[in-house]
Amino acid sequence: MTQYNVTGMSCAACQSRVEKAVSAVPGVESCAVSLLTNSMGVEGKADTAAIIKAVEDAGYGASLKQAVKSGESPVPNYDNELKDTETPKLRNRLIASVLLLLPLMYVSMGHMLWDFPLPAFLRDNHIGMGLYELLLTTGVMVINQRFFISGFKGLLHKAPNMDTRVSLGAAASFGYSVYALFAMTLAEKAGDAGRVTELMEEFYFESAAMILTLITVGKLLEAVSKGRTTNALKELMKLAPKTAVLLLENGIEKEVPIEQVKIHDKFVLRPGSSIPVDGIVVEGDSAVNESALTGESIPVDKTVGDTVSSATINESGYMVCEAVRVGQDTTLSQIIQMVSDAAATKAPIAKIADRVSGVFVPAVISIAAITFILWLFAGQSVGFSLARAISVLVISCPCALGLATPVAIMVGNGVGARHGIMFKTAVSLEETGKVQIVALDKTGTITRGEPEVRGVYPAEGIDKEELLTVAFSLEERSEHPLAKAIVGYCSGKFAPAEITDFTALSGNGLTAVLQGDMILGGNLSLISSKVSVGEDSLKLSESLSGQGETPLFFARGDRFLGIISVADVIKEDSFEAVRALKDLGIHVVMLTGDNERTARTIAEEAGVDEVAAGIKPDGKEAVISSLRSYGKTAMVGDGINDAPALTSADTGIAIGAGTDVAIDAADVVLMRSRLSDVAAAIRLSRATLRNIHENLFWAFIYNVIGIPLAAGAFIPAFGWTLNPMFGAAAMSLSSFCVVTNALRLNLVDIHNGTRDRSVKKAVTGGLLVPVVNDNITAIKNQEEKNMEITVNGMMCAHCEAHVKEALEKLEGVTTATADHAKNLVTLSTTSQIPEEALKAAVEGAGYEYAGIRA
């Protein structure tokens, strides 16, 4: 998306006009104009000059936000975007207008209604009073000339806007008052005192001045409120560091502007310093406060090899880092761009308001003209008829309609950004709250993706410390994920013993020599071939496997030492996060490539409604496609293999700590990598959508009631009339009310589920996954056949994954489901697979192929 600054817009009609003009440019695929941020986002291959010319031809100004040359990554300049130049101008205009309005109102209203005393030069001087009001009103009109310039420019371009209505109303009041003043002069000359008194009542100078002043008040309130809606974005921009301390090759430290930092430069971080760019720690360790980006207040420990992000704070230690992302490629810049892009897009719900806004101003001008004519035909005076027409012009407000959606979207995005929830577009913010089904990837989303020791079970007569020491000594030399789990568990508790003759037996385990004794670690088949394993240990092994854990056996010499069980565990917040989703009335499905037994165990721990096991990447996409037939579906994942499913879902939600591919494919990014933020994102979306509905209701009902009231439709029945000045005041407050209501979103606690309500059409029942699995089968091939092969040497879920990956690469194999406890792999095939190919794939993965089962 290419973003532009747009100037000269005053209301939703201007916004609609610019969108229409740019959309007509050849090569433009989509265009979204934001009245809130005076910006425009354009998709397509249209020439920039042609787009700018189209905007200028429509009567407005446009400029490219930031030109970026290919291959460059400049540092974004946020200073200009942080400056609020509009509010000071409006404030100065308002002060000057009020200074002239007060003496005008004193004479026109104070003296006429309440007989306030007048200066001697105006006492009994009707023409003098008229000239006095004329001069002060002219001053107010000159101060607020922007309304007239913009309004009549809109007329010239056949695109009337809000300023057109205001300028027409003020000009009509002023013009008719000037006519009355000349008529009074003639009556005075003719000595017609009665006519002079009558014409004094026809002065509307104060109405013209008051209309312009009140509209300026409304504009000022609107500008201040709109400024608050972008506070979150501005706070992010303020975080952008200005300088960095580089470590030069000669060891000298040099402070330089952030623009001079290049990739691979080394920079120094001292306690309390802001991290200037994204980098990797190459020396030292520290705790880094990442709350600015993730909303998480607890500092994160960083050491050599860990990544650090721009705008986070180094709290304690000294570190040297190497720059890996600079300029607009840093995490902070990407977050700012994401929030900015979201504000530049349109939510589907805004389309109705946009269509109405596009014809609103011409319709109101027509209604005002008809009102004037009808009252004249009804026998009313020109002054009375004109007052009704002016009231119609100034009370109607397309701005409230135009702002109803974008202000809520902007505030909602800001609230999300503060909590580490990034919505890429306004569409994703609106659609997330409509989700009925959430599909969760298991590894890295529900679970940590890192195996942990779940239990240590020494054999009878064996000391626990001896078991752990032997296990630690063996596994310290291995690179297997299960070995890392045991090493992590033992580190700091025990010291590994010196061993010799270390050997890794592919797919089976490890052997070595410790103080003259052979020590072994691995699966049951390896250990049972060397030592006797008791019946109790065998039953324990089966029980652990049934719970989704991987039992590892250890022996020393001719003694069986015991079992250590390892498993991938669910995240601490997974159960609560799933329960929060279910409280929102959402059906939760877990997707995984693991075997069904392991998947079921994890699913029960997490509390999900249903589980689809043995699913490979293209299978996940098929599951999501099928789930969408039951309701709006969100996919939550973090890996490269989740990207197709994230793209095919109604809403793709990426865990922030996941891969760049997954994040790029998603509609929503959770920076904190917490599953509980999925429910928070849905709550925020629903609150934002509810706020938009409130804003649109207010904007529509205000105009539906206000315009007939201003036109005098209620005079015959109730005698209600509306002074143009009160109409201007009401119009000024309408937009302010809409923006203020949107600001209430800042008070929403998105992590509080006490007010959660179920979606209207919640998905229920337990038939979902069986039907999904049937659909997957149908999608893949109606002629699929199953075959079973025996594979020895698998010890855990990671081994299963290796075998699965190797076999699924074979042409004709659609899915492979491995079970290490049974040494079994079940294949779904669409054609005959040569046994030589099966054997080569299994042995190539490092395991023993033992034939096809009958």
Side-chain angles (χ1 to χ4, degrees):
M1 176 185 289
T2 305
Q3 291 203 32
Y4 297 80
N5 295 308
V6 181
T7 58
M9 295 191 299
S10 61
C11 68
C14 301
Q15 172 183 291
S16 180
R17 172 72 174 172
V18 173
E19 282 184 359
K20 186 176 180 181
V22 174
S23 297
V25 175
V28 172
E29 296 174 4
S30 67
C31 171
V33 179
S34 173
L35 178 64
L36 178 65
T37 57
N38 289 316
S39 63
M40 174 176 65
V42 180
E43 297 274 10
K45 299 179 180 179
D47 182 56
T48 298
I51 291 173
I52 293 175
K53 184 177 185 301
V55 175
E56 291 174 346
D57 289 345
Y60 307 92
S63 61
L64 198 60
K65 272 199 171 184
Q66 185 171 352
V68 180
K69 295 180 180 178
S70 178
E72 292 187 358
S73 183
V75 177
N77 181 10
Y78 298 123
D79 291 338
N80 292 334
E81 296 189 44
L82 290 174
K83 290 179 181 177
D84 182 5
T85 57
E86 190 64 22
T87 302
K89 291 178 182 177
L90 285 169
R91 186 181 294 113
N92 292 337
R93 276 171 50 191
L94 178 60
I95 291 172
S97 297
V98 170
L99 289 176
L100 293 177
L101 181 66
L102 289 176
L104 171 62
M105 295 301 293
Y106 179 88
V107 171
S108 63
M109 302 293 287
H111 172 70
M112 296 292 291
L113 297 179
W114 299 291
D115 201 26
F116 287 176
L118 291 176
F121 70 91
L122 292 179
R123 196 174 300 129
D124 297 325
N125 184 356
H126 297 97
I127 295 177
M129 290 175 62
L131 290 172
Y132 174 87
E133 293 181 24
L134 171 66
L135 291 173
L136 289 176
T137 302
T138 301
V140 174
M141 293 174 74
V142 170
I143 291 168
N144 294 283
Q145 60 184 284
R146 181 174 175 180
F147 289 124
F148 296 93
I149 295 172
S150 171
F152 287 107
K153 185 187 290 185
L155 277 179
L156 290 174
H157 285 89
K158 298 179 182 179
N161 52 38
M162 189 202 78
D163 290 343
T164 304
R165 298 182 299 100
V166 172
S167 57
L168 283 176
S173 298
F174 183 80
Y176 183 74
S177 300
V178 170
Y179 157 76
L181 179 59
F182 277 102
M184 179 191 293
T185 304
L186 293 175
E188 184 84 25
K189 186 177 180 181
D192 189 347
R195 177 61 175 160
V196 170
T197 305
E198 181 183 326
L199 287 169
M200 277 294 292
E201 303 291 335
E202 299 294 316
F203 281 174
Y204 286 97
F205 287 119
E206 76 284 352
S207 291
M210 181 64 83
I211 287 170
L212 294 172
T213 304
L214 287 174
I215 299 300
T216 304
V217 170
K219 285 285 187 182
L220 177 61
L221 292 174
E222 184 181 317
V224 172
S225 299
K226 282 163 64 176
R228 289 177 182 170
T229 67
T230 58
N231 276 351
L233 185 57
K234 290 176 181 176
E235 289 302 319
L236 285 172
M237 291 178 176
K238 288 177 182 177
L239 293 173
K242 304 295 184 188
T243 60
V245 178
L246 295 184
L247 182 63
L248 305 180
E249 292 182 1
N250 56 10
I252 296 176
E253 296 178 7
K254 180 181 179 182
E255 185 172 2
V256 299
I258 196 69
E259 293 83 2
Q260 295 183 19
V261 180
K262 302 291 186 294
I263 294 176
H264 302 310
D265 281 352
K266 288 184 171 59
F267 56 92
V268 173
L269 297 174
R270 288 189 167 78
S273 62
S274 178
I275 298 175
V277 297
D278 293 1
I280 295 178
V281 180
V282 296
E283 179 185 331
D285 53 71
S286 181
V288 175
N289 187 335
E290 298 181 337
S291 60
L293 301 184
T294 66
E296 180 59 68
S297 58
I298 300 175
V300 179
D301 291 332
K302 300 288 184 181
T303 188
V304 174
D306 290 338
T307 59
V308 293
S309 298
S310 171
T312 56
I313 305 297
N314 177 35
E315 291 208 335
S316 53
Y318 171 91
M319 293 191 295
V320 177
C321 304
E322 180 180 337
V324 295
R325 289 179 178 175
V326 299
Q328 65 178 11
D329 293 331
T330 64
T331 302
L332 175 67
S333 296
Q334 289 176 352
I335 290 175
I336 292 172
Q337 189 63 42
M338 203 180 295
V339 176
S340 180
D341 283 348
T345 58
K346 284 280 177 90
I349 196 173
K351 291 179 180 177
I352 298 175
D354 287 347
R355 284 198 294 268
V356 173
S357 299
V359 298
F360 188 89
V361 175
V364 167
I365 293 174
S366 300
I367 292 171
I370 293 170
T371 298
F372 177 74
I373 294 170
L374 289 178
W375 280 115
L376 283 179
F377 278 123
Q380 294 292 341
S381 66
V382 173
F384 179 90
S385 302
L386 188 63
R388 303 288 73 74
I390 293 171
S391 294
V392 170
L393 286 172
V394 298
I395 197 173
S396 55
C397 186
C399 291
L401 282 172
L403 290 172
T405 298
V407 291
I409 293 293
M410 176 61 84
V411 178
N413 266 308
V415 173
R418 285 202 303 272
H419 291 87
I421 301 171
M422 317 304 295
F423 296 92
K424 288 187 176 180
T425 63
V427 176
S428 61
L429 178 55
E430 178 180 337
E431 293 299 314
T432 300
K434 300 176 182 178
V435 165
Q436 298 166 281
I437 303 168
V438 170
L440 304 173
D441 177 52
K442 189 208 80 172
T443 305
T445 302
I446 293 179
T447 66
R448 294 177 181 174
E450 300 173 355
E452 289 185 354
V453 172
R454 297 293 292 272
V456 180
Y457 308 96
E460 187 175 351
I462 301 298
D463 183 61
K464 180 179 180 181
E465 184 173 345
E466 182 183 3
L467 169 60
L468 289 171
T469 300
V470 169
F472 192 8
S473 304
L474 275 171
E475 304 294 356
E476 186 187 33
R477 303 283 187 93
S478 174
E479 294 297 322
H480 196 282
L482 298 184
K484 294 179 181 178
I486 292 177
V487 171
Y489 179 81
C490 295
S491 296
K493 299 178 183 177
F494 307 97
E498 290 291 332
I499 60 175
T500 58
D501 299 331
F502 173 82
T503 303
L505 305 175
S506 179
N508 283 293
L510 311 168
T511 66
V513 175
L514 172 62
Q515 297 174 353
D517 294 332
M518 174 73 73
I519 57 175
L520 304 95
N523 59 20
L524 177 60
S525 62
L526 171 67
I527 303 301
S528 61
S529 67
K530 304 294 183 181
V531 300
S532 176
V533 179
E535 189 65 29
D536 290 343
S537 295
L538 292 175
K539 290 181 180 179
L540 174 62
S541 171
E542 291 180 6
S543 174
L544 293 172
S545 296
Q547 297 170 24
E549 300 179 26
T550 300
L552 299 177
F553 297 78
F554 295 90
R556 180 173 183 175
D558 59 357
R559 294 182 302 144
F560 173 60
L561 299 180
I563 297 173
I564 298 177
S565 68
V566 179
D568 191 3
V569 296
I570 68 171
K571 295 178 180 178
E572 292 83 353
D573 68 333
S574 289
F575 179 79
E576 289 298 324
V578 170
R579 187 173 68 176
L581 289 171
K582 292 165 78 171
D583 289 343
L584 287 164
I586 292 170
H587 196 78
V588 185
V589 180
M590 186 181 83
L591 308 182
T592 178
D594 291 345
N595 67 68
E596 188 169 346
R597 183 170 59 181
T598 302
R600 292 283 179 191
T601 302
I602 296 293
E604 289 174 7
E605 283 189 61
V608 301
D609 294 308
E610 300 187 53
V611 58
I615 306 296
K616 64 189 221 179
D618 60 344
K620 289 182 182 179
E621 186 177 6
V623 171
I624 295 300
S625 298
S626 185
L627 286 172
R628 291 179 65 190
S629 66
Y630 294 89
K632 286 191 175 292
T633 302
M635 169 67 191
V636 184
D638 71 329
I640 292 175
N641 63 352
D642 296 321
L646 289 169
T647 303
S648 64
D650 293 296
T651 302
I653 303 177
I655 296 293
T659 62
D660 289 344
V661 175
I663 292 172
D664 289 342
D667 303 297
V668 184
V669 179
L670 308 180
M671 300 298 295
R672 294 199 296 188
S673 302
R674 286 186 176 181
L675 189 56
S676 56
D677 281 347
V678 176
I682 292 171
R683 288 191 196 100
L684 177 56
S685 173
R686 290 183 182 179
T688 303
L689 197 58
R690 194 161 51 244
N691 191 276
I692 290 172
H693 287 151
E694 293 167 357
N695 286 346
L696 287 173
F697 173 80
W698 162 252
F700 276 112
I701 205 70
Y702 164 81
N703 285 290
V704 166
I705 295 174
I707 292 176
L709 176 63
F714 299 117
I715 291 176
F718 307 104
W720 294 347
T721 60
L722 185 70
N723 188 294
M725 290 185 288
F726 292 114
M731 195 275 274
S732 299
L733 292 174
S734 62
S735 296
F736 174 71
C737 290
V738 165
V739 178
T740 303
N741 184 56
L743 289 172
R744 290 193 309 111
L745 283 171
N746 286 307
L747 305 177
V748 174
D749 184 357
I750 61 176
H751 293 289
N752 185 352
T754 55
R755 295 186 178 182
D756 285 347
R757 290 184 295 177
S758 176
V759 290
K760 291 182 179 179
K761 296 181 180 179
V763 176
T764 57
L767 299 177
L768 185 58
V769 169
V771 175
V772 168
N773 289 333
D774 289 345
N775 286 344
I776 294 170
T777 304
I779 290 168
K780 290 176 181 176
N781 199 307
Q782 295 290 349
E783 301 297 324
E784 280 191 357
K785 297 179 180 179
N786 291 336
M787 65 182 297
E788 295 180 341
I789 62 174
T790 300
V791 176
N792 296 326
M794 296 186 295
M795 298 178 2
C796 65
H798 293 275
C799 298
E800 293 173 353
H802 290 154
V803 173
K804 173 184 172 67
E805 182 180 7
L807 289 169
E808 287 180 348
K809 289 180 180 178
L810 297 176
E811 185 176 354
V813 176
T814 55
T815 60
T817 304
D819 186 338
H820 72 274
K822 297 179 180 178
N823 294 326
L824 171 67
V825 179
T826 302
L827 303 174
S828 293
T829 64
T830 57
S831 61
Q832 187 70 29
I833 310 297
E835 189 169 8
E836 295 79 8
L838 295 173
K839 183 178 179 181
V842 171
E843 292 179 350
Y847 301 90
E848 179 187 344
Y849 176 79
I852 299 174
R853 294 194 182 186

